[in-house]
């Protein structure tokens, strides 16, 4: 793996930082708390996400950034022959491989990079990164803890996990075998049950055959009786049908005789009425003439009433027309006034729109100012709490405590950091007071807004009055149009009424009308009697015809009754013969049903016997299948026993090989670092580091030699982890490893790293020790700008050698 470029936007102390990496040794210099280690944290966050950083999302965002400001880290690097570019934010992520998008979500990017590197987050940091505190990690552990530490960082713990899984499966298989064996039924009992089921099946088959034979005999008996029974049923149905028709025919004869007698009586009454009507003809002679005269007088009466109604309507129409003419005269000048009122209303509407725009502009400016002040004050309050909490934590921890931001003691920079935080709190407090006063000023509406709204309300009132006046005038114009239309209709109605009056008949005599009606009233009883007699006499001829038809129907009905009586006798049906045939048929049907029930019962018993045989065979097959499954499980159990032993042997072998391999790699690094003075390093059985000089253990070593021993041991462990992961150890990051070394040892370590360039093509040193600059290939400077509250990064490679040149001058 080789890094190319890194960019941080609003990440921790960095507002917008970009730096490029190259081959060789790159030094990142700066004081404590300047943001050097944050660069490494950003690299880890870009690759592994939230698991690689301290704190939550809010703590990642730069302290001075706005609440919704974006946070992003962009990292470009190479692995093998592929180039990668990853961009990660708080809620989004994207990964490009050779310029092609291969993942576009937080989880997908992390999983893809873990597969690409072949390392988890922990393995990545144990391989590529070495910090000052990690150099002596082995020395601070006990014997058991050292072995466990090496086993864990080299990935051997995964063998233990795999072995535990094998044991879990083995135990589960053993429990399953015990359960299956305890649940196996007795083989002899299964064989006896099968034999008993087969004997029952034979008995059921014989019973079924006997039942089938009995059913065939019953079917033959029913076959003989059924045609005879059907013949009796048919004869009975025909007899009942004929008898029913005979009774209906007899009822028809009775009805026909009654009808004939009724018609004969009505005919005699009609002939008597005709004779009485002939005697009343002389008395009724004047009635026709009087009715005709009454009809004419009633027509003239209706014409006189209609004339009176027309005259009343004509007078009313005349009054309405004169009223409409007076109203039209009053509305003659309304149209002109309406045009002037509409023009005035339009002008006021334009003035109202202008006034509303002015008032809305003033209100918008006021609301925006107030919202801006509220937002800024809220942000300042939150920022004040965060900075105050950070300052309180630093004060509580003291100069030697671990800084919550940079994760290392502040030391001499303690006072400067407190002063910086105090200045930030003072600036935040001043800004907060300003925006609080601003909010108090903006609590009431400004004068310009009040004046603009008052002007708008005045124009609005004038516009309403103008609109109301225009509405009144428009209603009057519409009223004039309706009045003209109504006047035209009234004049047409008057002309029509005048023509109707001219056409009405005249000459009605009310006295004559009353006299004629009196004469008719005297003759009314005789006329009513004559009308009733006329109606009765008029029916005489139809009654003669009806009586003749009734007499014919009576004769036909009597003849039909005689025919049906003879047909019933001819059928020869008797109830006794019918009952005897029904008894014989019912006995045959009952015998067949009993035989069919016997067949059903026999077949049910046969089915149950067959099921018993199948169940016995199934249980025997199930037992055989369980026995085969038990054999397979036992073979699987033996396999997992072998795997358990193999894992134990493998772990023992790996643990036995681990110390010599680490010692061999560390010895090579030690020889390079000490120019061959020490060429061998040994790890004892309790993983204690011992330096050999000329093959003899050196019991006492200096503090610098101890640091060197720990460094080469850490490098050896890192290379082994990388080899286990299948990745070449091309990148090495050393964070603050020079803190306990003197000047000579620092230069010696830098020289060692340069001599190891073939093993570590890219080395990144993070330190605040300026004396190691001249041995590096590139120099990057990181400082914290208190005024801006951000880290500032610059490339100082061009200054290499300038210090030596100044001393020589």
């Amino acid at each position: 793996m080789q890094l190319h470029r890194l960019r941080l936007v609003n990440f921790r102390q960095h507002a917008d930082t970009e730096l490029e990496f190259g081959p060789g040794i790159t030094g990142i210099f700066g004081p404590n708390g300047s943001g050097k280690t944050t660069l490494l944290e950003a690299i880890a966050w870009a690759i592994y996400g939230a698991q690689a950083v301290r704190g939550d999302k809010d703590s990642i965002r730069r302290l001075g950034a706005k609440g919704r400001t974006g946070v992003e880290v962009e990292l470009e690097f190479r692995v093998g022959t592929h180039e990668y570019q990853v961009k990660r934010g708080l809620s989004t992520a994207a990964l490009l491989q050779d310029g092609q998008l291969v993942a576009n979500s937080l989880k997908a990017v992390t999983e893809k990079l873990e597969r690409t590197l072949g390392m988890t987050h922990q393995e990545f940091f144990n391989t590529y990164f070495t910090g000052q505190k990690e150099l002596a990690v082995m020395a601070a552990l006990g014997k058991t803890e050292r072995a466990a530490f090496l086993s864990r960082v080299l990935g051997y713990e995964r063998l233990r996990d795999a072995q535990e899984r094998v044991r879990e499966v083995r135990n589960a298989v053993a429990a399953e075998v015990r359960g299956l064996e305890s649940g196996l039924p007795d083989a002899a009992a299964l064989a006896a049950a099968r034999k008993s089921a087969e004997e029952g099946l034979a008995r059921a088959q014989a019973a079924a055959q006997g039942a089938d034979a009995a059913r065939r005999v019953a079917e033959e008996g029913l076959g003989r009786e059924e045609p005879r029974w059907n013949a009796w049923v048919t004869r009975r149905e025909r007899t009942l049908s004929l008898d029913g028709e005979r009774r209906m025919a007899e009822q028809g004869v009775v009805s026909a005789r009654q009808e004939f007698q009724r018609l004969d009586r009505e005919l005699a009454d009609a002939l008597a009425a005709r004779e009485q009507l002939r005697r009343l003809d002389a008395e009724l002679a004047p009635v026709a003439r009087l009715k005709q005269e009454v009809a004419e007088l009633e027509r003239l009466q209706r014409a006189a009433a209609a004339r009176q109604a027309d005259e009343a309507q004509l007078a009313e129409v005349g009054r309405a027309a004169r009223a409409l003419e007076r109203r039209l005269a009053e509305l003659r000048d309304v149209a002109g006034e309406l045009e002037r009122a509409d023009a005035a209303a339009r002008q006021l509407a334009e003035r109202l729109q202008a006034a509303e725009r002015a008032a809305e502009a003033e209100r918008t400016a006021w609301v925006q100012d107030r919202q801006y002040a509220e937002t800024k004050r809220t942000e300042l309050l939150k920022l004040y709490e965060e900075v105050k909490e950070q300052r309180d934590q630093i004060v509580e921890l003291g100069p030697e405590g671990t800084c919550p931001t940079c994760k290392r003691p502040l030391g001499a920079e303690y006072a400067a950091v407190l002063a910086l935080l105090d200045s930030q709190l003072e600036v935040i407090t001043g800004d907060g007071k300003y925006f609080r006063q601003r909010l108090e000023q903006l609590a009431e509406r400004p004068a310009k807004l009040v004046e603009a709204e008052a002007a708008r309300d005045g124009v609005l009132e004038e516009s309403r009055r103008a609109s109301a006046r225009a509405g009144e005038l428009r209603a009057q114009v519409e009223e004039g149009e309706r009045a003209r239309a109504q006047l035209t209709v009234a004049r047409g109605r008057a002309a029509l009424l005048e023509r109707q009056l001219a056409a009405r008949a005249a000459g009605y005599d009310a006295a004559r009308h009353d006299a004629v009606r009196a004469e008719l009233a005297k003759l009314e009883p005789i006329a009513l009697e004559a009308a009733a007699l006329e109606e009765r006499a008029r029916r005489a001829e139809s009654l003669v015809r009806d009586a003749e038809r009734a007499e014919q129907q009576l004769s036909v009905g009597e003849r039909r009754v005689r025919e049906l009586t003879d047909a019933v006798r001819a059928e020869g049906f008797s109830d006794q013969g019918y009952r005897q045939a029904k008894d014989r048929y019912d006995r045959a049907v009952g015998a067949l049903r009993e035989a069919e029930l016997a067949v059903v019962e026999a077949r049910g018993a046969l089915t149950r016997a067959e099921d018993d045989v199948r169940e016995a065979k199934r249980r025997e097959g199930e037992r055989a299948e369980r026995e085969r499954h038990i054999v397979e499980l036992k073979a699987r159990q033996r396999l997992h026993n072998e795997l358990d032993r193999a894992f134990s042997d493998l772990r023992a072998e790996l643990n036995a090989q681990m110390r010599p391999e680490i010692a061999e790699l560390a010895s090579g690094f030690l020889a390079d670092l000490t120019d061959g003075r020490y060429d061998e390093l040994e790890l004892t059985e309790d993983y204690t580091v011992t330096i050999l000089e000329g093959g003899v253990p050196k019991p006492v070593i200096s503090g610098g030699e101890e640091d060197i021993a720990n460094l080469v041991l850490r490098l050896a462990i890192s290379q082994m982890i990388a080899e286990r992961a299948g990745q070449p150890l091309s990148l090495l990051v050393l964070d603050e490893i020079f803190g306990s070394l003197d000047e000579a040892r620092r230069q010696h370590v830098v020289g060692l790293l340069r001599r190891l360039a073939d093993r570590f093509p890219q080395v990144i040193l993070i330190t605040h020790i300026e004396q190691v600059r001249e041995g590096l290939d590139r120099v990057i400077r990181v400082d914290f700008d208190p005024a801006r509250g951000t880290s500032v990064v610059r490339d100082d490679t061009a200054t290499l050698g300038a210090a030596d040149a100044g001393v020589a001058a």
Side-chain angles (χ1 to χ4, degrees):
M1 179 179 183
Q2 185 170 357
L3 303 179
H4 295 328
R5 187 176 70 88
L6 174 67
R7 185 186 180 199
L8 295 76
V9 178
N10 291 319
F11 187 88
R12 300 292 192 199
Q13 306 100 307
H14 294 265
D16 191 351
T17 298
E18 183 173 358
L19 62 152
E20 295 184 356
F21 303 97
I25 303 176
T26 299
I28 300 177
F29 292 85
N32 290 334
S34 61
K36 305 186 301 299
T37 305
T38 301
L39 300 175
L40 302 184
E41 189 177 18
I43 293 173
W45 188 62
I47 297 174
Y48 291 100
Q51 61 180 314
V53 296
R54 301 156 292 159
D56 54 12
K57 290 184 177 180
D58 292 334
S59 66
I60 294 176
R61 182 180 285 109
R62 185 172 61 86
L63 189 61
K66 294 182 178 180
R68 294 186 177 273
T69 303
V71 177
E72 183 178 84
V73 172
E74 180 180 354
L75 177 66
E76 296 179 3
F77 59 94
R78 176 175 56 81
V79 176
T81 60
H82 297 289
E83 297 290 337
Y84 293 89
Q85 179 184 19
V86 57
K87 293 182 180 180
R88 186 183 293 271
L90 295 178
S91 58
T92 61
L95 176 64
L96 281 74
Q97 176 181 327
D98 298 327
Q100 300 294 323
L101 182 67
V102 294
N104 61 353
S105 69
L106 295 175
K107 183 178 180 181
V109 168
T110 302
E111 292 176 349
K112 174 64 177 178
L113 288 175
E114 282 191 2
R115 292 194 299 271
T116 300
L117 297 175
M119 298 182 182
T120 64
H121 169 245
Q122 190 66 33
E123 291 172 341
F124 182 82
F125 269 84
N126 287 334
T127 303
Y128 292 125
F129 289 80
T130 300
Q132 181 181 11
K133 297 179 181 178
E134 297 175 358
L135 288 178
V137 65
M138 291 285 289
L141 300 176
K143 174 183 176 181
T144 305
E145 293 172 336
R146 292 169 188 163
F149 170 77
L150 290 174
S151 179
R152 183 174 65 254
V153 298
L154 291 174
Y156 295 167
E157 289 298 318
R158 285 175 290 185
L159 292 176
R160 178 186 296 276
D161 295 339
Q163 187 175 16
E164 290 298 326
R165 177 58 182 156
V166 167
R167 290 175 177 175
E168 290 176 3
V169 174
R170 180 193 63 190
N171 294 337
V173 170
E176 187 176 358
V177 168
R178 289 193 298 271
L180 290 173
E181 288 179 342
S182 64
L184 279 177
D186 183 64
L190 291 177
R194 179 178 178 182
K195 180 178 180 182
S196 175
E198 289 175 346
E199 292 174 353
L201 176 62
R203 291 192 298 272
Q205 289 173 342
Q209 292 175 356
D212 286 337
R215 184 187 62 181
R216 286 192 295 273
V217 171
E219 287 175 347
E220 292 175 356
L222 180 61
R224 291 190 298 270
E225 288 297 328
E226 189 170 13
R228 303 171 184 170
W229 166 245
N230 290 336
W232 273 100
V233 170
T234 302
R235 185 183 304 170
R236 180 175 182 273
E237 290 176 353
R238 285 199 305 268
T239 301
L240 292 176
S241 177
L242 290 172
D243 189 59
E245 290 183 16
R246 178 183 63 79
R247 288 196 297 272
M248 290 179 62
E250 289 177 346
Q251 184 63 33
V253 168
V254 172
S255 298
R257 184 175 291 107
Q258 292 174 351
E259 179 65 15
F260 175 73
Q261 293 172 354
R262 182 188 65 79
L263 291 173
D264 186 59
R265 289 193 299 272
E266 290 182 359
L267 178 58
D269 181 69
L271 293 175
R274 181 181 295 178
E275 182 61 27
Q276 292 177 4
L277 182 61
R278 192 179 305 113
R279 291 194 295 267
L280 292 176
D281 284 343
E283 297 181 22
L284 294 174
V287 172
R289 175 182 58 79
L290 291 173
K291 285 184 178 181
Q292 183 177 2
E293 186 176 357
V294 166
E296 178 62 20
L297 288 171
E298 287 178 351
R299 184 182 69 79
L300 293 176
Q301 184 186 29
R302 288 192 297 272
R307 173 181 292 276
Q308 291 178 355
D310 290 343
E311 290 174 349
Q313 289 182 20
L314 182 59
E316 183 61 29
V317 168
R319 285 192 298 271
R322 288 190 295 274
L324 291 171
E325 289 171 352
R326 287 194 300 271
R327 184 56 179 163
L328 286 172
E330 294 172 356
L331 300 174
R332 186 176 299 110
D333 298 329
V334 170
E337 293 181 17
L338 177 60
E339 292 179 0
R340 291 189 293 275
D342 285 339
R346 286 193 294 272
Q347 292 176 356
L348 286 171
E350 294 174 357
R351 286 177 55 197
L352 178 59
Q353 291 178 357
E356 287 178 343
R357 286 194 295 270
E360 186 61 28
E362 292 295 337
R363 175 172 289 277
T364 300
W366 173 54
V367 171
Q368 289 177 347
D369 289 344
R370 190 171 60 183
Q371 290 177 347
Y372 174 75
E374 290 176 350
T375 302
K376 291 299 295 182
R377 188 168 184 271
T378 301
E379 292 177 353
L380 288 170
L381 288 173
K382 182 178 179 182
L383 182 59
Y384 180 87
E385 292 295 332
E386 293 175 353
V387 176
K388 182 70 168 55
E389 182 181 358
Q390 184 179 4
R391 186 188 184 282
D392 293 342
Q393 290 178 355
I394 292 174
V395 171
E396 182 180 353
L397 294 172
E400 302 304 325
T402 301
C403 174
T405 302
C406 59
K407 299 304 181 182
R408 58 175 52 84
L410 294 177
E413 299 176 0
Y414 175 77
V417 172
L418 286 182
L420 171 61
L421 294 175
D422 288 337
S423 64
Q424 290 181 355
L425 288 173
E426 184 176 355
V427 172
I428 294 170
T429 302
D431 293 343
K433 290 180 179 179
Y434 166 75
F435 282 109
R436 184 185 62 190
Q437 293 172 358
R438 183 61 177 158
L439 282 172
E440 292 174 355
Q441 293 172 358
L442 294 172
E444 299 294 334
R445 294 184 301 167
K448 289 184 178 181
L449 174 58
V450 174
E451 292 174 359
E453 290 181 345
R456 179 200 61 192
D457 295 341
V459 176
L460 178 61
E461 183 60 28
E462 292 182 21
S463 177
R464 289 175 177 171
R465 289 197 297 269
S467 298
R469 178 56 182 163
E472 293 175 0
L473 294 173
R474 190 170 289 105
Q476 291 177 2
V477 170
E478 294 175 356
E479 181 185 359
E481 293 175 355
R482 290 195 300 272
R484 280 189 288 272
Q486 291 173 359
L487 181 58
T488 301
V489 173
R491 289 171 178 171
R493 178 60 177 165
L496 177 62
L497 290 172
E498 289 175 352
R499 289 195 297 273
Q500 289 180 354
L501 284 172
R504 296 295 183 189
Y508 173 66
D509 188 351
R512 179 58 186 167
H513 194 184
D514 293 339
V516 172
R517 280 190 294 208
E519 293 183 17
L520 281 175
K522 294 178 181 179
L523 295 174
E524 184 66 22
I526 299 174
L528 291 175
E529 182 182 359
L533 292 172
E534 185 178 3
E535 178 63 26
R536 288 161 54 193
R538 189 181 303 114
R539 296 184 62 225
E541 295 180 358
S542 63
L543 288 172
V544 170
R545 293 190 297 273
D546 292 343
E548 291 175 352
R549 285 194 297 272
E551 186 178 8
Q552 294 175 359
Q553 290 177 359
L554 177 60
S555 300
V556 170
E558 291 174 344
R559 184 170 57 255
R560 177 61 176 165
V561 168
R562 290 192 295 273
E563 292 174 353
L564 290 172
T565 301
D566 296 340
V568 168
R569 293 195 190 96
E571 286 295 330
F573 175 79
S574 68
D575 290 335
Q576 182 179 1
Y578 175 78
R579 284 192 297 271
Q580 292 174 353
K582 186 176 185 306
D583 291 340
R584 290 191 300 272
Y585 176 73
D586 290 343
R587 287 194 296 273
V589 170
L592 178 59
R593 288 178 179 173
E594 291 176 357
E596 288 176 344
L597 288 175
V599 169
V600 170
E601 291 176 356
R603 288 181 178 177
L606 177 61
T607 301
R608 288 191 296 273
E610 291 173 345
D611 291 342
D612 292 341
V613 172
R614 282 194 295 270
E615 177 63 16
K617 291 179 179 179
R618 185 194 65 78
R619 294 182 62 192
E620 289 181 339
E622 186 179 66
R623 186 182 191 284
E625 181 62 27
R626 286 191 182 182
E627 289 177 340
R628 286 192 297 272
H629 188 44
I630 289 172
V631 171
E632 293 174 356
L633 289 175
K634 287 183 176 179
R636 188 180 177 191
Q637 184 179 2
R638 289 193 298 273
L639 173 61
H640 281 76
N641 288 332
E642 292 296 327
L643 284 174
D644 185 23
R645 286 191 292 273
F647 273 122
S648 298
D649 296 342
L650 178 59
R651 289 177 57 204
E653 182 179 352
L654 289 175
N655 288 326
Q657 294 176 355
M658 179 170 59
R659 287 189 301 105
E661 286 187 32
I662 295 176
E664 182 180 357
L665 289 173
S667 297
F669 291 138
L670 180 64
D672 291 336
L673 185 59
T674 60
D675 291 331
R677 177 182 176 184
Y678 303 121
D679 59 355
E680 187 175 359
L681 182 147
E682 184 179 71
L683 279 179
T684 64
E685 291 185 358
D686 60 355
Y687 293 91
T688 302
V689 178
T690 303
I691 295 178
L692 303 180
E693 185 176 11
V696 178
K698 188 175 181 181
V700 179
I701 59 176
S702 66
E705 290 171 336
E706 183 178 356
D707 288 340
I708 291 173
N710 288 329
L711 176 60
V712 298
L713 179 61
R714 185 66 180 86
L715 294 176
I717 294 173
S718 296
Q719 182 159 326
M720 283 191 67
I721 293 173
E723 290 174 354
R724 296 292 188 273
Q727 299 287 351
L729 191 61
S730 59
L731 170 66
L732 184 62
V733 181
L734 302 175
D735 184 11
E736 296 289 2
I737 65 169
F738 300 111
S740 63
L741 301 180
D742 57 22
E743 177 64 24
R745 288 169 180 162
R746 293 167 184 164
Q747 297 300 330
H748 217 138
V749 170
V750 174
L752 169 64
L753 295 175
R754 187 166 296 283
R755 288 194 298 275
L756 298 180
D758 58 334
R759 302 188 188 182
F760 305 108
Q762 189 178 49
V763 179
I764 298 175
L765 291 175
I766 298 175
T767 181
H768 64 283
I769 307 299
E770 297 287 343
Q771 288 79 2
V772 300
R773 288 167 48 96
E774 302 307 323
L776 309 182
D777 297 310
R778 298 183 68 234
V779 173
I780 295 173
R781 182 74 186 178
V782 181
D783 291 302
F784 186 78
D785 186 354
R788 296 165 53 190
T790 62
S791 297
V792 180
V793 179
R794 66 177 183 273
D795 192 332
D796 278 2
T797 305
T799 64
L800 288 175
D804 293 342
V807 172

